[in-house]
Amino acid sequence: MLQGAELTCGYKTTTAGWYGFRVYLPEGKFPKDVEGTIIAQIFNQGDRNCWAGHLSIDKDKLVLSHRYALIDPTIGTLGTLEGDKWIPVVVYFKVGRNNKGRLKAWMGDNMQENAPAYDSGNCNFGFGNWIDDDTLDGEVSEANPIADAIGAKFGMYVSTGGDRTIRFDDVKLLEGNPAGAFY
């Protein structure tokens, strides 16, 4: 219950980004009656140094939670996870205040860019010091002693519920939102 591994890297963006990966829940090794198993974080580095968004498993559902401050998040369900099957997942996020942010997420074998499983619509997303409504301040300065940016963390984060096994593959991260990023 208190063992696991965390995947982190030098990924950093102050505006937008994409996560893509495949997840596998081995039948009999991942309980279907537990909630709150965080598996991927859109991690807000900087002044607040806490997750701005995360994907979690609640029983057999994949859920995306997101927020703009250290408050209760907005939550959206992407769909039902099957055991013993590799399931592709894609997440797009854009930081923003004054309703300039947005999150979209897809899962499954038949994803289409114009049909996300979850779309936040315009929202506030991310926190820290801002350069403008669309950009976190990722530079250290006298006015901003701790740089603010979004980083990535993958792994299982749990506080109760016993042992669980999860597998990840094809983890991909993209900074920004260039043309064709979904593909």
Side-chain angles (χ1 to χ4, degrees):
M1 186 165 91
L2 300 176
Q3 299 176 8
E6 178 179 74
L7 170 67
T8 62
C9 61
Y11 177 84
K12 182 177 165 183
T13 181
T14 57
T15 56
W18 291 82
Y19 291 3
F21 60 93
R22 293 187 312 142
V23 63
Y24 185 91
L25 306 176
E27 197 66 46
K29 294 187 177 182
F30 195 95
K32 295 180 180 179
D33 61 347
V34 296
E35 294 183 335
T37 305
I38 297 171
I39 63 169
Q41 295 182 56
I42 304 169
F43 197 80
N44 210 126
Q45 303 168 339
D47 296 307
R48 305 305 182 290
N49 207 43
C50 190
W51 61 269
H54 64 64
L55 288 165
S56 62
I57 300 171
D58 286 340
K59 298 187 178 179
D60 64 346
K61 304 289 188 232
L62 185 62
V63 175
L64 176 64
S65 301
H66 56 91
R67 60 190 182 173
Y68 61 91
L70 299 178
I71 60 172
D72 289 339
T74 299
I75 300 171
T77 300
L78 277 65
T80 301
L81 294 165
E82 297 177 50
D84 283 339
K85 179 182 178 183
W86 284 103
I87 300 169
V89 177
V90 173
V91 177
Y92 163 74
F93 61 89
K94 179 185 175 306
V95 301
R97 61 183 181 177
N98 296 318
N99 287 320
K100 302 278 183 155
R102 189 158 200 173
L103 294 98
K104 295 181 184 181
W106 299 258
M107 68 174 273
D109 292 325
N110 299 312
M111 293 185 267
Q112 296 179 13
E113 186 174 9
N114 64 349
Y118 175 77
D119 184 344
S120 68
N122 294 336
C123 67
N124 295 319
F125 176 65
F127 39 87
N129 290 324
W130 295 85
I131 291 175
D132 56 34
D133 286 349
D134 300 301
T135 312
L136 287 165
D137 190 349
E139 300 297 323
V140 173
S141 67
E142 191 173 311
N144 189 41
I146 302 173
D148 295 291
I150 299 292
K153 291 186 178 187
F154 296 87
M156 269 196 303
Y157 308 90
V158 300
S159 58
T160 61
D163 290 336
R164 298 163 216 198
T165 299
I166 188 171
R167 296 187 178 116
F168 292 92
D169 198 5
D170 297 330
V171 177
K172 296 175 178 77
L173 306 169
L174 181 62
E175 297 173 22
N177 187 24
F182 179 79
Y183 303 101

